[in-house]
Amino acid sequence: MDAHEQDSFREFVATRSSALLKTAVLLSGGDRHAGEDLLQNALVKAAGRWQRIDEPEAYVRRILYRQQVSRWRLKWPRRELAVAEPPERAASGDGTAAAELRIVMRGALAKLTARQRTVLVLRYYEDLPEAEVAAVLGCSVGTVRSTTHRSLARLRGLAPELAQLDRSGPAGAFPHSRDFSPMEVSP
């Protein structure tokens, strides 16, 4: 990689790493450390091919998805104990409802299987159409649809308190099959 490509890569990392980290954290079930590892590995792979990449963000996101798929296809996946961690930035205003929503949603997402979580992140956080999700995951559109349906049903079962937030709290707080908005639960 020459000096111009190094500068280009550094600029990409500086400008897009926070958005990519949010996706990586969601893909890893809300575990920030696992998300950071996932993103770091993806950036290392992208750096090796930087001069041949036309759309860097799409390329890195695809690496993230594929690495996560590879992780949950392992015969003996690594299991780590998730622990509570203090917030890294101060919230402006009260923020209690938003914090409560993030905690509940993160806990519920962490209880989903990696495949269910990945499908939900691709469909609703990344806003990919079913056909693209199927292409990324290497499965049929029908599999994406059925996994999405089962994942949302399980998410609703794991976090019934989100139904009350939906009725009394901010719009879109509880995920429905077409309006799941984890932007409100960003890490």
Side-chain angles (χ1 to χ4, degrees):
M1 198 185 305
D2 65 17
H4 178 342
E5 290 169 346
Q6 285 180 353
D7 291 340
S8 170
F9 182 73
R10 284 187 184 120
E11 181 181 333
F12 171 77
V13 171
T15 58
R16 299 305 306 153
S17 62
S18 65
L20 292 168
L21 179 59
K22 287 180 182 179
T23 300
V25 169
L26 286 170
L27 286 171
S28 59
D31 183 350
R32 184 171 180 88
H33 298 292
E36 288 171 350
D37 289 345
L38 189 65
L39 178 59
Q40 183 177 5
N41 290 336
L43 290 173
V44 166
K45 287 182 179 185
R49 298 179 161 260
W50 191 251
Q51 64 274 10
R52 293 175 279 191
I53 299 173
D54 294 329
E55 296 181 36
E57 185 162 355
Y59 188 84
V60 171
R61 287 182 185 277
R62 187 160 298 239
I63 292 172
L64 287 172
Y65 308 146
R66 289 186 175 168
Q67 280 185 286
Q68 186 61 28
V69 167
S70 294
R71 283 184 180 179
W72 48 262
R73 284 185 177 162
L74 289 175
K75 190 172 186 176
W76 294 286
R78 276 188 335 188
R79 299 283 181 198
E80 294 182 12
L81 178 63
V83 296
E85 54 187 34
E88 293 187 7
R89 60 182 185 261
S92 60
D94 183 6
T96 305
E100 180 182 328
L101 178 61
R102 275 194 306 276
I103 290 168
V104 169
M105 185 63 85
R106 186 175 287 167
L109 284 172
K111 292 177 184 172
L112 295 176
T113 66
R115 183 179 187 96
Q116 290 173 327
R117 193 170 44 249
T118 302
V119 168
L120 290 180
V121 169
L122 292 175
R123 277 291 289 130
Y124 299 109
Y125 182 75
E126 292 294 321
D127 201 25
L128 294 180
E130 291 168 338
E132 284 186 46
V133 174
V136 167
L137 298 178
C139 63
S140 70
V141 173
T143 300
V144 170
R145 287 180 184 154
S146 64
T147 303
T148 301
H149 176 74
R150 279 189 239 110
S151 302
L152 288 174
R154 183 156 183 234
L155 190 63
R156 289 183 188 112
L158 289 170
E161 59 269 34
L162 291 176
Q164 278 109 19
L165 287 174
D166 186 39
R167 289 184 204 107
S168 63
F174 186 65
H176 298 285
S177 62
R178 292 288 179 208
D179 60 24
F180 177 66
S181 179
M183 292 299 289
E184 296 177 22
V185 291
S186 62

